[in-house]
């Protein structure tokens, strides 16, 4: 993460190592994390905690129960070991019910448990995790959860702790393939942490040209082919949507193309990310309460950048192209107006009825340009509508597509990666509401209901026939306005980055 820190001078992600010891009792660390399950007759120590109860004189379950521990997911109990273990502090994290006999542990449960424990140990030097890790997948889940739980964004703090929350993380596992799984987790954590950094960075320090600079530097260092179009090139190239959204700001727009190619790849994926570095709503100004967290409106472009870097870092046998559609949506004398009409990159004209429905305007240019790469699949990702939050809440993204199988594939991949997503329809009867009396299509449906669906239907109009396309609306999941939970911090979450990488891994296996 040295390169990212040099660019943003902000966040910290702890590296993790693997130790194949099966003796957690004598492992040298400042804190030892173990799991406990709920059981019909009280707490049950999870695999990885073998020998601890004996070392503690048979009092582990009794002590935890006396502290009120139930083994519920996310529950944390800290016990001083008084020299009975090499680690001076034992941390028990709840895992819920034990899996059925012969069944493995749920990966997301392990990720969340590891993240919760590490967050609770902020300020601790060396943390060892003896959570269930009988397989490489388990070890990778523990490592990823711990790394993401160790994230902190401190760039703008002038007082208090300025270093990593935890100095060192060690996953205890003797599983075959665990080392590779831990290395994959490290690569993913670096990319997710970068996306969190970008989302957390205020617009005073992250405008379109600055975002493009970061993407160009990191992409080049990762071996990606990078192309950046400035405002002049965008106008000359006919990118009417990106130009229209960005024309009201003193910070002009950018389009960044990142490409990863593998000589043995048989599939090309194109990812398109909404990158509104700040969304005031333009002349259709947002209320203050809806504006103060709009630095997160570039989360889609961040996820695409993070995914491309991870795909390159993992060396996946797939071709991947990413488009970052970057603009700042501001009101001014040069801003686009409600009732303006522009010509998009596809050649279709668009009437702008609401300048706060701007994300779809930059995406249509990115989608149309991505189609020229002749990909097998296009996936766009965006913090697109408040309607997504109304329909699905803060933690579940909506997935829409012109292909039912692709939609299911995206939802399944998100579930595998521990990211909430739900399939949503594209009802044909909603299309008529986007008709315009003066242009090919309007950017807003007059009905306020079903806004997430009509936004996706608008995007679908710019996908060429025969191209498989999916749209992920993650307006809520991209930014956690509540308290930290599991491995998720307050603020930028890095949502959907892992889903995009997971899709690439799926296609790389074909």
């Amino acid at each position: 993460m040295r390169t990212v820190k040099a660019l943003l001078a902000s966040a910290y992600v702890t590296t993790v190592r693997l130790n194949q010891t099966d003796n957690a009792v004598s492992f040298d660390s400042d804190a030892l994390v173990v799991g406990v399950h709920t059981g019909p007759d009280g707490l049950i120590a999870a695999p990885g905690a073998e020998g601890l109860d004996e070392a503690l004189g048979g009092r582990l379950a009794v002590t935890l129960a006396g502290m009120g521990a139930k083994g519920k997911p996310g529950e944390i109990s800290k016990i001083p070991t008084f020299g009975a273990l090499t680690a001076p502090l034992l941390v028990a994290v709840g895992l819920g019910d034990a899996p059925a006999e012969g069944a493995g542990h749920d990966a997301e449960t392990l990720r969340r448990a590891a993240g919760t424990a590490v967050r609770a140990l902020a300020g601790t030097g060396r943390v060892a995790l003896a959570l269930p890790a009988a397989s490489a997948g388990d070890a990778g889940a523990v490592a990823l959860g711990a790394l993401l739980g160790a994230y902190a964004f401190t760039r703008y703090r002038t007082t208090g702790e300025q270093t990593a929350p935890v100095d060192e993380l060690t996953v205890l596992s003797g599983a075959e393939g665990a080392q590779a799984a831990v290395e994959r987790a490290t690569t993913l954590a670096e990319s997710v942490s970068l996306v969190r950094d970008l989302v957390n960075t205020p617009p005073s320090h992250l405008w379109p040209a600055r975002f493009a600079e970061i993407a160009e530097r990191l992409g080049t260092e990762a071996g990606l082919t990078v192309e950046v179009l400035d405002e002049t090139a965008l106008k000359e190239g006919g990118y009417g949507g990106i130009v229209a959204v960005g024309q009201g700001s003193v910070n002009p727009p950018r389009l960044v193309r990142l490409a990863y190619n593998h000589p043995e790849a048989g599939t090309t994926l194109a990812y398109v990310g909404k990158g509104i570095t700040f969304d005031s709503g333009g002349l259709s100004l947002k209320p203050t309460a809806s504006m103060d967290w709009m630095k997160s409106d570039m989360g889609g472009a961040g996820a695409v950048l993070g995914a491309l870097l991870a795909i390159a870092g993992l060396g996946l046998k797939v071709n991947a192209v990413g488009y970052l559609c970057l603009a700042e949506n501001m009101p001014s004398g040069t801003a686009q107006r409600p009732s303006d009409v522009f010509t998009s990159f596809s050649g279709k004209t668009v009437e702008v009825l609401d300048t706060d429905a701007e994300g779809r305007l930059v995406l249509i240019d990115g989608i149309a340009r991505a189609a020229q790469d002749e990909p097998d699949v296009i996936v766009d990702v965006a913090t697109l509508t408040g309607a997504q939050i109304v329909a699905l809440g803060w933690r579940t993204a909506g997935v829409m597509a012109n292909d039912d199988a692709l939609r299911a594939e995206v939802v399944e991949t998100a579930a595998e990666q521990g990211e909430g997503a739900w399939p949503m329809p594209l009802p044909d009867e909603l299309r008529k509401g986007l008709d315009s009396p003066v242009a090919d299509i309007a950017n807003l449906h007059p009905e306020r209901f079903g806004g997430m669906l009509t936004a996706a239907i608008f995007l679908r109009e710019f996908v060429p026939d025969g191209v498989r396309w999916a749209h992920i609306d993650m307006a809520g999941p991209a930014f956690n306005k509540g308290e930290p939970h599991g491995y998720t911090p307050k603020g930028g979450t890095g949502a959907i980055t892992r889903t995009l990488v997971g899709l690439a891994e799926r296609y790389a296996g074909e």
Side-chain angles (χ1 to χ4, degrees):
M1 292 296 291
R2 186 188 318 160
T3 302
V4 176
K5 289 180 184 177
L7 284 168
L8 299 178
S10 56
Y12 301 89
V13 59
T14 310
T15 56
V16 64
R17 58 192 180 98
L18 177 73
N19 192 290
Q20 295 185 318
T21 183
D22 58 359
N23 186 3
V25 173
S26 61
F27 189 80
D28 187 17
S29 64
D30 297 313
L32 177 66
V33 177
V34 299
V36 291
H37 291 292
T38 56
D41 300 317
L43 295 173
I44 302 171
E50 295 86 352
L52 293 177
D53 189 52
E54 182 180 353
L56 293 169
R59 295 189 296 272
L60 176 58
V62 173
T63 301
L64 290 173
M67 298 172 63
K70 304 295 185 182
K72 295 179 180 179
E75 183 183 76
I76 291 288
S77 302
K78 298 180 181 181
I79 305 172
T81 65
F82 299 110
L85 309 180
T86 301
L89 180 66
L90 179 66
V91 179
V93 57
L95 299 173
D97 294 334
E101 185 175 353
H105 284 78
D106 175 68
E108 181 63 5
T109 297
L110 294 178
R111 282 189 287 259
R112 292 182 181 180
T116 300
V118 171
R119 284 195 301 103
L121 288 168
T124 305
R126 299 168 299 154
V127 175
L129 296 115
L131 291 167
S135 68
D138 289 349
V142 171
L144 182 57
L147 286 165
L148 295 179
Y151 173 88
F153 187 78
T154 60
R155 178 180 181 184
Y156 301 100
R157 296 190 180 278
T158 59
T159 60
E161 188 63 47
Q162 301 296 314
T163 59
V166 175
D167 293 337
E168 181 179 291
L169 289 169
T170 302
V171 173
L172 306 184
S173 173
E176 182 178 353
Q179 184 60 48
V182 169
E183 291 173 358
R184 175 186 179 274
T186 299
T187 299
L188 286 179
E190 288 180 350
S191 286
V192 172
S193 295
L194 167 64
V195 181
R196 290 174 173 180
D197 282 357
L198 292 168
V199 171
N200 287 328
T201 300
S204 56
H205 290 72
L206 188 71
W207 54 96
R210 177 60 173 153
F211 196 146
E213 175 194 349
I214 292 170
E216 185 171 24
R217 283 189 57 182
L218 293 180
T220 300
E221 291 174 6
L224 304 177
T225 301
V226 185
E227 178 185 6
V228 179
L229 300 184
D230 63 14
E231 65 271 30
T232 300
L234 289 169
K235 290 177 182 177
E236 293 176 351
Y239 294 89
I242 298 175
V243 170
V245 174
Q247 71 188 40
S249 174
V250 295
N251 297 308
R254 294 288 186 270
L255 177 65
V256 180
R257 180 182 185 273
L258 307 160
Y260 165 79
N261 294 289
H262 193 285
E264 301 176 31
T267 303
T268 298
L269 304 179
Y271 295 148
V272 181
K274 173 187 173 183
I276 305 299
T277 57
F278 185 74
D279 182 19
S280 69
L283 291 180
S284 304
L285 197 66
K286 292 178 182 289
T288 301
S290 299
M291 198 190 302
D292 63 350
W293 56 292
M294 282 299 102
K295 64 180 181 179
S296 67
D297 214 18
M298 36 57 61
V304 170
L305 172 59
L308 264 290
L309 294 175
I311 290 168
L314 295 171
L316 300 182
K317 293 181 181 179
V318 68
N319 294 329
V321 184
Y323 286 90
L324 316 182
C325 306
L326 309 176
E328 187 176 63
N329 187 26
M330 297 291 285
S332 75
T334 61
Q336 64 173 337
R337 296 146 293 217
S339 77
D340 275 0
V341 174
F342 68 83
T343 302
S344 68
F345 184 79
S346 70
K348 291 184 179 180
T349 57
V350 178
E351 181 183 16
V352 180
L353 299 182
D354 187 332
T355 66
D356 193 25
E358 86 299 328
R360 64 200 71 183
L361 304 184
V362 301
L363 284 176
I364 61 175
D365 281 352
I367 290 169
R369 173 62 184 88
Q372 294 186 348
D373 293 313
E374 299 183 347
D376 296 277
V377 170
I378 295 176
V379 178
D380 77 74
V381 56
T383 50
L384 202 63
T385 66
Q388 176 272 313
I389 302 172
V390 172
L392 297 173
W394 288 96
R395 300 188 189 181
T396 304
V399 180
M400 293 136 277
N402 63 2
D403 181 283
D404 290 345
L406 177 60
R407 181 182 61 190
E409 192 172 45
V410 173
V411 172
E412 290 169 6
T413 301
E416 292 168 356
Q417 301 300 320
E419 298 194 300
W422 197 255
M424 300 297 290
L426 294 177
D428 289 334
E429 67 271 15
L430 294 179
R431 170 59 184 86
K432 184 172 177 58
L434 294 172
D435 286 345
S436 166
V438 297
D440 294 329
I441 193 170
N443 79 325
L444 197 70
H445 194 290
E447 289 280 350
R448 64 184 292 263
F449 302 106
M452 172 174 58
L453 310 183
T454 57
I457 290 170
F458 175 85
L459 296 177
R460 186 181 61 181
E461 292 292 308
F462 298 85
V463 180
D465 292 340
V467 177
R468 300 176 74 216
W469 158 81
H471 162 62
I472 305 175
D473 190 338
M474 58 161 194
F479 195 81
N480 177 24
K481 297 185 72 176
E483 293 303 310
H485 55 89
Y487 53 78
T488 302
K490 188 178 180 67
T493 65
I496 303 301
T497 306
R498 290 181 288 145
T499 296
L500 298 182
V501 177
L503 279 172
E505 289 176 321
R506 278 194 174 211
Y507 282 92
E510 293 185 349

